[in-house]
PDB file of all heavy atoms in Angstrom:
ATOM      1  N   LYS A 546      -1.089 -49.964  93.881  1.00  0.00           N
ATOM      2  CA  LYS A 546       0.327 -49.625  93.905  1.00  0.00           C
ATOM      3  C   LYS A 546       0.658 -48.689  95.058  1.00  0.00           C
ATOM      4  O   LYS A 546       1.657 -48.890  95.779  1.00  0.00           O
ATOM      5  CB  LYS A 546       0.721 -48.976  92.576  1.00  0.00           C
ATOM      6  CG  LYS A 546       0.814 -49.950  91.411  1.00  0.00           C
ATOM      7  CD  LYS A 546       1.362 -49.262  90.181  1.00  0.00           C
ATOM      8  CE  LYS A 546       1.591 -50.259  89.056  1.00  0.00           C
ATOM      9  NZ  LYS A 546       2.176 -49.609  87.853  1.00  0.00           N
ATOM     10  N   ILE A 547      -0.162 -47.672  95.269  1.00  0.00           N
ATOM     11  CA  ILE A 547       0.101 -46.731  96.354  1.00  0.00           C
ATOM     12  C   ILE A 547      -0.041 -47.422  97.704  1.00  0.00           C
ATOM     13  O   ILE A 547       0.756 -47.191  98.634  1.00  0.00           O
ATOM     14  CB  ILE A 547      -0.849 -45.521  96.238  1.00  0.00           C
ATOM     15  CG1 ILE A 547      -0.541 -44.735  94.964  1.00  0.00           C
ATOM     16  CG2 ILE A 547      -0.743 -44.617  97.468  1.00  0.00           C
ATOM     17  CD1 ILE A 547      -1.493 -43.586  94.716  1.00  0.00           C
ATOM     18  N   ASN A 548      -1.024 -48.266  97.837  1.00  0.00           N
ATOM     19  CA  ASN A 548      -1.233 -48.980  99.102  1.00  0.00           C
ATOM     20  C   ASN A 548      -0.053 -49.899  99.412  1.00  0.00           C
ATOM     21  O   ASN A 548       0.442 -49.940 100.546  1.00  0.00           O
ATOM     22  CB  ASN A 548      -2.536 -49.771  99.023  1.00  0.00           C
ATOM     23  CG  ASN A 548      -2.813 -50.560 100.283  1.00  0.00           C
ATOM     24  OD1 ASN A 548      -2.584 -50.077 101.388  1.00  0.00           O
ATOM     25  ND2 ASN A 548      -3.282 -51.788 100.132  1.00  0.00           N
ATOM     26  N   VAL A 549       0.428 -50.653  98.409  1.00  0.00           N
ATOM     27  CA  VAL A 549       1.558 -51.558  98.620  1.00  0.00           C
ATOM     28  C   VAL A 549       2.811 -50.772  98.983  1.00  0.00           C
ATOM     29  O   VAL A 549       3.573 -51.154  99.889  1.00  0.00           O
ATOM     30  CB  VAL A 549       1.783 -52.421  97.368  1.00  0.00           C
ATOM     31  CG1 VAL A 549       3.086 -53.195  97.475  1.00  0.00           C
ATOM     32  CG2 VAL A 549       0.618 -53.378  97.172  1.00  0.00           C
ATOM     33  N   ALA A 550       3.036 -49.655  98.290  1.00  0.00           N
ATOM     34  CA  ALA A 550       4.221 -48.848  98.593  1.00  0.00           C
ATOM     35  C   ALA A 550       4.163 -48.299 100.013  1.00  0.00           C
ATOM     36  O   ALA A 550       5.173 -48.306 100.740  1.00  0.00           O
ATOM     37  CB  ALA A 550       4.335 -47.707  97.579  1.00  0.00           C
ATOM     38  N   ALA A 551       3.000 -47.825 100.444  1.00  0.00           N
ATOM     39  CA  ALA A 551       2.870 -47.280 101.798  1.00  0.00           C
ATOM     40  C   ALA A 551       3.079 -48.364 102.852  1.00  0.00           C
ATOM     41  O   ALA A 551       3.743 -48.140 103.872  1.00  0.00           O
ATOM     42  CB  ALA A 551       1.494 -46.626 101.961  1.00  0.00           C
ATOM     43  N   VAL A 552       2.528 -49.542 102.609  1.00  0.00           N
ATOM     44  CA  VAL A 552       2.678 -50.635 103.580  1.00  0.00           C
ATOM     45  C   VAL A 552       4.131 -51.056 103.689  1.00  0.00           C
ATOM     46  O   VAL A 552       4.658 -51.272 104.795  1.00  0.00           O
ATOM     47  CB  VAL A 552       1.783 -51.821 103.172  1.00  0.00           C
ATOM     48  CG1 VAL A 552       2.092 -53.038 104.028  1.00  0.00           C
ATOM     49  CG2 VAL A 552       0.314 -51.463 103.310  1.00  0.00           C
ATOM     50  N   ARG A 553       4.830 -51.154 102.567  1.00  0.00           N
ATOM     51  CA  ARG A 553       6.230 -51.591 102.609  1.00  0.00           C
ATOM     52  C   ARG A 553       7.128 -50.552 103.262  1.00  0.00           C
ATOM     53  O   ARG A 553       8.082 -50.921 103.955  1.00  0.00           O
ATOM     54  CB  ARG A 553       6.701 -51.888 101.192  1.00  0.00           C
ATOM     55  CG  ARG A 553       6.073 -53.147 100.596  1.00  0.00           C
ATOM     56  CD  ARG A 553       6.608 -53.431  99.209  1.00  0.00           C
ATOM     57  NE  ARG A 553       6.077 -54.696  98.692  1.00  0.00           N
ATOM     58  CZ  ARG A 553       6.367 -55.199  97.497  1.00  0.00           C
ATOM     59  NH1 ARG A 553       7.194 -54.533  96.683  1.00  0.00           N
ATOM     60  NH2 ARG A 553       5.849 -56.343  97.094  1.00  0.00           N
ATOM     61  N   VAL A 554       6.835 -49.289 103.066  1.00  0.00           N
ATOM     62  CA  VAL A 554       7.666 -48.253 103.679  1.00  0.00           C
ATOM     63  C   VAL A 554       7.447 -48.199 105.184  1.00  0.00           C
ATOM     64  O   VAL A 554       8.403 -48.142 105.974  1.00  0.00           O
ATOM     65  CB  VAL A 554       7.372 -46.884 103.024  1.00  0.00           C
ATOM     66  CG1 VAL A 554       8.040 -45.764 103.812  1.00  0.00           C
ATOM     67  CG2 VAL A 554       7.864 -46.875 101.590  1.00  0.00           C
ATOM     68  N   LEU A 555       6.192 -48.237 105.617  1.00  0.00           N
ATOM     69  CA  LEU A 555       5.893 -48.119 107.044  1.00  0.00           C
ATOM     70  C   LEU A 555       6.273 -49.372 107.825  1.00  0.00           C
ATOM     71  O   LEU A 555       6.540 -49.290 109.033  1.00  0.00           O
ATOM     72  CB  LEU A 555       4.400 -47.819 107.244  1.00  0.00           C
ATOM     73  CG  LEU A 555       3.913 -46.457 106.733  1.00  0.00           C
ATOM     74  CD1 LEU A 555       2.401 -46.333 106.900  1.00  0.00           C
ATOM     75  CD2 LEU A 555       4.612 -45.320 107.470  1.00  0.00           C
ATOM     76  N   ASN A 556       6.280 -50.526 107.155  1.00  0.00           N
ATOM     77  CA  ASN A 556       6.558 -51.789 107.854  1.00  0.00           C
ATOM     78  C   ASN A 556       7.826 -52.457 107.351  1.00  0.00           C
ATOM     79  O   ASN A 556       7.953 -53.685 107.443  1.00  0.00           O
ATOM     80  CB  ASN A 556       5.379 -52.754 107.673  1.00  0.00           C
ATOM     81  CG  ASN A 556       4.080 -52.218 108.220  1.00  0.00           C
ATOM     82  OD1 ASN A 556       3.822 -52.273 109.413  1.00  0.00           O
ATOM     83  ND2 ASN A 556       3.239 -51.685 107.335  1.00  0.00           N
ATOM     84  N   ALA A 557       8.760 -51.669 106.810  1.00  0.00           N
ATOM     85  CA  ALA A 557       9.978 -52.255 106.236  1.00  0.00           C
ATOM     86  C   ALA A 557      10.772 -53.079 107.245  1.00  0.00           C
ATOM     87  O   ALA A 557      11.163 -54.222 106.939  1.00  0.00           O
ATOM     88  CB  ALA A 557      10.841 -51.146 105.624  1.00  0.00           C
ATOM     89  N   PRO A 558      11.035 -52.600 108.460  1.00  0.00           N
ATOM     90  CA  PRO A 558      11.778 -53.453 109.413  1.00  0.00           C
ATOM     91  C   PRO A 558      11.032 -54.731 109.776  1.00  0.00           C
ATOM     92  O   PRO A 558      11.634 -55.810 109.878  1.00  0.00           O
ATOM     93  CB  PRO A 558      11.958 -52.539 110.629  1.00  0.00           C
ATOM     94  CG  PRO A 558      11.780 -51.159 110.113  1.00  0.00           C
ATOM     95  CD  PRO A 558      10.782 -51.264 109.015  1.00  0.00           C
ATOM     96  N   ILE A 559       9.725 -54.621 109.950  1.00  0.00           N
ATOM     97  CA  ILE A 559       8.935 -55.809 110.311  1.00  0.00           C
ATOM     98  C   ILE A 559       8.942 -56.818 109.175  1.00  0.00           C
ATOM     99  O   ILE A 559       9.112 -58.033 109.397  1.00  0.00           O
ATOM    100  CB  ILE A 559       7.503 -55.392 110.683  1.00  0.00           C
ATOM    101  CG1 ILE A 559       7.521 -54.441 111.882  1.00  0.00           C
ATOM    102  CG2 ILE A 559       6.648 -56.614 110.987  1.00  0.00           C
ATOM    103  CD1 ILE A 559       6.141 -53.914 112.251  1.00  0.00           C
ATOM    104  N   LEU A 560       8.771 -56.346 107.936  1.00  0.00           N
ATOM    105  CA  LEU A 560       8.763 -57.253 106.791  1.00  0.00           C
ATOM    106  C   LEU A 560      10.117 -57.922 106.601  1.00  0.00           C
ATOM    107  O   LEU A 560      10.187 -59.102 106.226  1.00  0.00           O
ATOM    108  CB  LEU A 560       8.372 -56.482 105.530  1.00  0.00           C
ATOM    109  CG  LEU A 560       6.925 -55.979 105.458  1.00  0.00           C
ATOM    110  CD1 LEU A 560       6.713 -55.163 104.199  1.00  0.00           C
ATOM    111  CD2 LEU A 560       5.951 -57.145 105.494  1.00  0.00           C
ATOM    112  N   LEU A 561      11.195 -57.196 106.863  1.00  0.00           N
ATOM    113  CA  LEU A 561      12.522 -57.794 106.741  1.00  0.00           C
ATOM    114  C   LEU A 561      12.721 -58.899 107.775  1.00  0.00           C
ATOM    115  O   LEU A 561      13.230 -59.985 107.455  1.00  0.00           O
ATOM    116  CB  LEU A 561      13.588 -56.709 106.902  1.00  0.00           C
ATOM    117  CG  LEU A 561      15.046 -57.169 106.769  1.00  0.00           C
ATOM    118  CD1 LEU A 561      15.296 -57.762 105.388  1.00  0.00           C
ATOM    119  CD2 LEU A 561      15.997 -56.009 107.042  1.00  0.00           C
ATOM    120  N   ILE A 562      12.310 -58.658 109.001  1.00  0.00           N
ATOM    121  CA  ILE A 562      12.441 -59.679 110.047  1.00  0.00           C
ATOM    122  C   ILE A 562      11.590 -60.901 109.721  1.00  0.00           C
ATOM    123  O   ILE A 562      12.027 -62.054 109.866  1.00  0.00           O
ATOM    124  CB  ILE A 562      12.053 -59.078 111.409  1.00  0.00           C
ATOM    125  CG1 ILE A 562      13.055 -57.982 111.812  1.00  0.00           C
ATOM    126  CG2 ILE A 562      12.002 -60.163 112.482  1.00  0.00           C
ATOM    127  CD1 ILE A 562      12.656 -57.237 113.064  1.00  0.00           C
ATOM    128  N   ILE A 563      10.355 -60.665 109.259  1.00  0.00           N
ATOM    129  CA  ILE A 563       9.464 -61.778 108.910  1.00  0.00           C
ATOM    130  C   ILE A 563      10.060 -62.613 107.779  1.00  0.00           C
ATOM    131  O   ILE A 563      10.059 -63.854 107.812  1.00  0.00           O
ATOM    132  CB  ILE A 563       8.079 -61.247 108.527  1.00  0.00           C
ATOM    133  CG1 ILE A 563       7.391 -60.630 109.749  1.00  0.00           C
ATOM    134  CG2 ILE A 563       7.212 -62.357 107.943  1.00  0.00           C
ATOM    135  CD1 ILE A 563       6.084 -59.944 109.432  1.00  0.00           C
ATOM    136  N   GLY A 564      10.597 -61.941 106.741  1.00  0.00           N
ATOM    137  CA  GLY A 564      11.169 -62.665 105.610  1.00  0.00           C
ATOM    138  C   GLY A 564      12.352 -63.521 105.995  1.00  0.00           C
ATOM    139  O   GLY A 564      12.478 -64.670 105.555  1.00  0.00           O
ATOM    140  N   VAL A 565      13.227 -62.996 106.844  1.00  0.00           N
ATOM    141  CA  VAL A 565      14.409 -63.756 107.256  1.00  0.00           C
ATOM    142  C   VAL A 565      14.013 -64.953 108.116  1.00  0.00           C
ATOM    143  O   VAL A 565      14.520 -66.072 107.932  1.00  0.00           O
ATOM    144  CB  VAL A 565      15.387 -62.833 107.999  1.00  0.00           C
ATOM    145  CG1 VAL A 565      16.528 -63.645 108.596  1.00  0.00           C
ATOM    146  CG2 VAL A 565      15.927 -61.765 107.065  1.00  0.00           C
ATOM    147  N   ILE A 566      13.101 -64.729 109.065  1.00  0.00           N
ATOM    148  CA  ILE A 566      12.708 -65.819 109.974  1.00  0.00           C
ATOM    149  C   ILE A 566      11.973 -66.918 109.219  1.00  0.00           C
ATOM    150  O   ILE A 566      12.222 -68.113 109.427  1.00  0.00           O
ATOM    151  CB  ILE A 566      11.843 -65.253 111.115  1.00  0.00           C
ATOM    152  CG1 ILE A 566      12.689 -64.336 112.011  1.00  0.00           C
ATOM    153  CG2 ILE A 566      11.236 -66.390 111.933  1.00  0.00           C
ATOM    154  CD1 ILE A 566      11.906 -63.683 113.120  1.00  0.00           C
TER     155      ILE A 566
END
Side-chain angles (χ1 to χ4, degrees):
K546 286 187 174 182
I547 295 176
N548 179 40
V549 170
V552 171
R553 289 182 176 180
V554 170
L555 294 176
N556 300 280
I559 299 176
L560 292 176
L561 181 61
I562 295 174
I563 293 174
V565 172
I566 293 177

